[in-house]
Amino acid sequence: MSMETMERELSPGALKALKSTLTDNHPLSLPSDYSDAAVAELHEMLLEIRNFAANLLKGQHSPSIRIKGYLPGVMKSLQAQLRSLSLQARSAKPNGFDHYAELNAEPMGDFADSLNLMARQLAEAKKQLEETNQILRLHMDIDPLTGLYNFSYLMKTLEREIERSRRYNQPLAIVLLEIANLKRISDSYGWRGEDAVMEKTAAQIRQILRPSDTAGRYGSGGILLILPNTDRAGACVLAERAQALNEVIQYADSKINIKLNSGVSIWENDKLSDLIREAECDLHLSKHKTKMKQELS
């Protein structure tokens, strides 16, 4: 039936309803008294195609269409490609849509190119975000004055090293260093002089550590060293090297001598707090011995 013949044979109400399915936001229904079964079937087919296309536009790629033929077949093919593209878009793999661009130059190729660009931008943004977060985490763990790790990071690291030593039955040592004359330096040169001494000391200590060692601030004038796979003899050697530094720094118009005391502790299946307490006790004993030598000399 040609369009001209149909327009002559259809009632104005039926013709208006058929056109409405193609042009209006809210399509009209056939007149209730209309009895032509072929026209009613055509109206129902148009409504089904319309609803199917509307669901595709909304991103609903699972609805089915019952009618068969060329136009429904084209729309089903489009549905299958959109579903596949959507699945790959969720995985956000760069260049994951290139084969669609090759197979479907227009209009699916443009769509695939847009999705590829989006996927690459998302991947790059994700990489930059991860790098930024890593830098922020690092800055949160670092003491800004000395460049050493802060107390919180130091304790977390020590807990991990204790667990590792327990699991693999490896030795673990810590060395607690303290600037012996820090109070006198602070009284003479103020907090700026104290900061200069701490910064210089931290820089020198970092130079004598292995890559596997960890150094962090412990209190106002203390530095704690975590030495994995190190026994007491090795820890004592490092402590002696640190004490032998005896650095002299130039501050303002004065020269400040830096002297260190040290305490050593070895992990022997005890708690973190016990390990630190032993190092503190050894440090106090070292300070007492140094004081006795000074009084005898």
Side-chain angles (χ1 to χ4, degrees):
M1 182 185 295
S2 66
M3 182 61 69
E4 293 81 1
T5 304
M6 181 178 289
E7 289 183 356
R8 286 198 301 270
E9 295 182 356
L10 288 176
S11 68
L15 180 60
K16 190 174 182 179
L18 290 174
K19 289 183 176 179
S20 178
T21 60
L22 299 175
T23 59
D24 298 343
N25 289 335
H26 303 286
L28 298 174
S29 301
L30 284 172
S32 58
D33 59 346
Y34 198 80
S35 59
D36 192 325
V39 176
E41 182 181 2
L42 176 59
H43 184 260
E44 184 178 346
M45 291 171 64
L46 289 173
L47 284 175
E48 186 169 356
I49 292 174
R50 172 196 173 93
N51 292 336
F52 185 83
N55 286 329
L56 288 182
L57 181 61
K58 294 176 183 177
Q60 300 173 6
H61 302 152
S62 58
S64 59
I65 185 169
R66 296 171 298 171
I67 58 177
K68 300 183 182 300
Y70 179 78
L71 181 57
V74 171
M75 298 188 71
K76 288 179 181 178
S77 177
L78 176 61
Q79 177 192 38
Q81 295 191 50
L82 287 174
R83 184 187 296 119
S84 180
L85 286 169
S86 296
L87 290 173
Q88 293 196 42
R90 293 193 192 100
S91 64
K93 294 180 179 179
N95 303 319
F97 310 99
D98 287 340
H99 64 289
Y100 284 98
E102 295 171 1
L103 295 176
N104 305 278
E106 292 291 346
M108 295 302 296
D110 293 337
F111 182 44
D113 288 340
S114 298
L115 286 175
N116 277 326
L117 177 61
M118 178 188 70
R120 286 192 290 269
Q121 289 174 340
L122 286 174
E124 182 63 26
K126 181 181 179 182
K127 180 181 178 182
Q128 292 179 359
L129 181 60
E130 290 174 349
E131 292 175 352
T132 301
N133 286 337
Q134 186 175 2
I135 293 173
L136 288 174
R137 285 194 295 269
L138 180 61
H139 280 226
M140 290 175 62
D141 294 331
I142 296 295
D143 173 63
L145 173 65
T146 62
L148 303 177
Y149 289 108
N150 59 29
F151 181 80
S152 176
Y153 182 88
L154 204 58
M155 294 301 102
K156 292 177 183 177
T157 301
L158 186 52
E159 287 178 352
R160 289 197 301 268
E161 293 299 339
I162 288 175
E163 182 58 33
R164 183 180 302 172
S165 296
R166 180 182 291 111
R167 183 183 303 117
Y168 299 109
N169 194 28
Q170 294 177 341
L172 172 66
I174 64 173
V175 174
L176 182 57
L177 301 173
E178 184 182 74
I179 299 175
N181 52 338
L182 187 63
K183 186 178 185 307
R184 186 162 58 251
I185 293 172
S186 181
D187 292 340
S188 301
Y189 305 100
W191 63 271
R192 292 186 182 275
E194 181 179 333
D195 284 353
V197 168
M198 280 299 305
E199 187 175 3
K200 179 65 174 180
T201 303
Q204 292 299 318
I205 294 299
R206 281 198 298 269
Q207 293 181 10
I208 65 174
L209 297 180
R210 303 169 300 179
S212 58
D213 300 334
T214 302
R217 285 196 75 170
Y218 188 85
S220 59
I223 297 175
L224 182 65
L225 310 180
I226 303 174
L227 312 176
N229 204 20
T230 303
D231 56 16
R232 182 177 293 277
C236 289
V237 169
L238 183 62
E240 290 173 0
R241 288 183 62 190
Q243 286 182 283
L245 291 175
N246 288 327
E247 287 292 326
V248 177
I249 69 169
Q250 184 72 36
Y251 179 76
D253 297 329
S254 304
K255 292 184 177 181
I256 303 177
N257 293 314
I258 304 174
K259 297 181 180 179
L260 296 176
N261 290 319
S262 66
V264 175
S265 178
I266 305 301
W267 178 76
E268 296 177 341
N269 290 313
D270 44 8
K271 298 178 181 179
L272 182 151
S273 56
D274 296 331
L275 184 64
I276 293 178
R277 187 179 301 110
E278 181 183 343
E280 290 175 340
C281 290
D282 195 53
L283 174 64
H284 290 312
L285 181 60
S286 173
K287 290 166 63 177
H288 179 70
K289 289 180 179 179
T290 301
K291 184 178 179 179
M292 293 294 292
K293 287 181 182 180
Q294 291 175 346
E295 290 178 351
L296 292 175
S297 60

